[in-house]
Amino acid sequence: ALGGLEGLGIDTPKGLAKLKKRLENFSSMEELETPAGIKATLRDYQKSGFQWMQFLARHGLHGILADDMGLGKTMQTLAHLMEEKTSGRSGGKPSLVIAPTSVVPNWRAEAVKFAPGLTVLVLNGADRKKYYRSIPHADLVITSFALLQRDIEKLLGFQYHVLVLDEAQYIKNPKAKVAKAACRVIARHRLC
């Protein structure tokens, strides 16, 4: 039982009990090397962000990576996605990044330059519909918040290993269509 729940007649969910066991003796995050497939040297604070995301994923948790602009959150996330692929934890499922329209080309450029081992699919523009069938064959699918709500039914045809919401303030209003669409995406691990 967790925190005295046994006296309330409440059964602890199995997943929560398992997480409690894993975290009981937690002392620090595991020191991990940057994945070999990343073609960049991460600064110490970027390694910490990468290790934080790995910690979350390994414990079945979702999370938020908040940092100042320009400090490399995209790079840290690419390192995380590469590690998930090379370790086999992604199970061959793609990861989905949803970003502001203006940032989508930056995600693609950084992925191609710094994580060339990831197969990247960008869903953008009027011809994007012909690429939906390629989603399960990609490691990283990138689209925009603007297209998320338009394409949600097509995106729901697939399951994702990681869902990344870049600049997650775009879904701060839970009643907005874009926020509702983001919540419908099926993903094992969610990062904002």
Side-chain angles (χ1 to χ4, degrees):
L2 294 173
L5 292 180
E6 71 279 353
L8 300 174
I10 298 172
D11 290 333
T12 303
K14 288 180 185 175
L16 189 58
K18 190 175 176 183
L19 177 62
K20 178 186 180 274
K21 270 189 176 178
R22 288 163 132 181
L23 297 178
E24 266 179 339
N25 298 316
F26 175 74
S27 59
S28 66
M29 283 186 287
E30 190 178 344
E31 291 288 327
L32 300 168
E33 291 299 316
T34 303
I38 293 295
K39 304 301 178 202
T41 302
L42 270 60
R43 294 184 172 96
D44 287 344
Y45 66 87
Q46 291 173 322
K47 283 183 185 175
S48 294
F50 159 67
Q51 291 168 357
W52 168 244
M53 286 185 264
Q54 283 291 292
F55 169 81
L56 293 173
R58 290 174 184 199
H59 289 86
L61 300 170
H62 308 291
I64 298 171
L65 179 63
D67 209 340
D68 290 335
M69 223 170 134
L71 292 183
K73 292 184 294 294
T74 303
M75 177 60 69
Q76 294 169 51
T77 305
L78 288 170
H80 174 61
L81 298 178
M82 180 61 78
E83 180 65 20
E84 290 300 287
K85 177 187 176 178
T86 57
S87 69
R89 281 189 298 276
S90 68
K93 284 188 170 66
S95 291
L96 177 63
V97 169
I98 302 168
T101 303
S102 63
V103 179
V104 168
N106 182 60
W107 267 96
R108 183 189 179 285
E110 289 205 28
V112 167
K113 182 177 180 180
F114 298 117
L118 295 177
T119 306
V120 179
L121 173 64
V122 177
L123 297 175
N124 205 2
D127 65 343
R128 70 188 180 280
K129 294 176 178 148
K130 65 183 174 184
Y131 297 109
Y132 292 144
R133 65 177 180 229
S134 298
I135 290 174
H137 307 292
D139 297 314
L140 175 58
V141 179
I142 307 166
T143 193
S144 66
F145 285 102
L147 294 176
L148 170 65
Q149 59 192 22
R150 290 185 204 160
D151 297 349
I152 187 61
E153 296 306 324
K154 291 291 184 186
L155 293 172
L156 288 176
F158 308 96
Q159 293 184 358
Y160 304 92
H161 179 62
V162 180
L163 170 64
V164 178
L165 301 179
D166 189 4
E167 299 196 27
Q169 72 270 17
Y170 277 74
I171 65 158
K172 67 182 176 185
N173 179 354
K175 294 179 183 176
K177 287 181 184 177
V178 69
K180 289 177 181 179
C183 290
R184 291 179 65 198
V185 173
I186 299 164
R188 193 177 299 158
H189 180 46
R190 294 171 179 265
L191 292 170
C192 293

